Amino acid sequence: MAQLVKLQDYVSRYTADPYRYPGQFIRLKQGNWKKLKSLWNRRFELEESEYNEALSSFIYKGAAPKNEQELKQYFLDGLLPFQLKWASRTLTEMSFLDKTYEYDETLRYLLQRFPDTFLLLYDPIFQIKKAPMEADSIIVHPQGIYCVKHLQESEDVTYIPGDERSWYKEEKNVRTRFLSPLISLKRTARIIQSILKAHGIEYPVKQLVLSSTNRIEYNLEPYQTEYVGLEEYEEWFERMRGFKSPLKYQQMKVMASLLKHTQVTSVKRTEWGREESFMEE
């Protein structure tokens, strides 16, 4: 499960200590998965009420899983509220979370489909020369950065890249024009490159237009840009999903540098006690 290191302009645990929390998340996730799997394996040894009570400590809501595949999804769904909490509060500060993020399917997709070593900035707002600048989603990968624009329409729609300003959506032989996703992706890439340059860091930056549901008809991809539509998706996804690498120091240095330049809107917390969470140490 990818890690949500920044959400919009919210305060984040990762901003507070960017070198500590990526590794801590992985350790806590692995430890709690082992506990949940152990409970699942002992489910027939326990009273139903005892089992359900123990199970409920791992997730906020949802029906009990019927098989191991459902158990994995149950666990991932239980992680999402926890990740939103880490991405909107620290021990001393908090931001007011927009509840729509709890049901944001694109956010859920980006988090639940990729490895723990992928660090996600979702809807980030940067402060560049004291001016706020909205950016596309950013994945800090162990080998580079992806600026991601996720497109999704009904299956009958085909995307067709046009000129620098326009793309087209074609459905039942009818084309409609829309603003090219490359405009915001290029702006996001420029923001990232300027930050990395200011910190003396060299790290590859690539632009990604991603659609798991629709074809993208194109002849050539622009420089440092990848189009992944329905026809390319499975191969691309398996390659990304199967990527095996530990967190790298340079990767966390890049993430820390980006977070330094993001906008933070928060208030002091009135409560200082620990909150109950199955992912807390």
Side-chain angles (χ1 to χ4, degrees), residues 157-169:
V157 172
T158 297
Y159 293 109
I160 303 170
D163 55 28
E164 291 185 358
R165 300 287 306 173
S166 302
W167 275 35
Y168 298 90
K169 289 187 287 189

Side-chain angles (χ1 to χ4, degrees), residues 51-90:
Y51 171 67
N52 288 335
E53 183 179 352
L55 194 64
S56 67
S57 68
F58 286 92
I59 197 165
Y60 292 83
K61 56 184 176 181
K66 298 181 179 62
N67 53 53
E68 193 163 325
Q69 188 58 41
E70 287 188 10
L71 183 72
K72 291 177 182 178
Q73 188 61 50
Y74 187 89
F75 182 68
L76 292 177
D77 289 342
L79 283 178
L80 185 59
F82 164 79
Q83 287 193 292
L84 291 172
K85 184 181 292 184
W86 265 27
S88 61
R89 62 185 62 188
T90 66

Side-chain angles (χ1 to χ4, degrees), residues 145-147 149 161 167 180-183 185-186 189 205-210 216 218 220-228 236:
I145 293 174
Y146 286 93
C147 308
K149 178 71 77 173
W167 275 35
S180 169
L182 295 184
I183 295 173
L185 282 176
K186 287 178 180 178
V205 180
K206 196 167 189 177
Q207 298 161 170
L208 172 65
V209 181
L210 176 65
I216 303 176
Y218 65 94
L220 294 172
E221 294 169 322
Y223 178 67
Q224 294 289 16
T225 302
E226 187 174 4
Y227 297 152
V228 177
W236 174 86

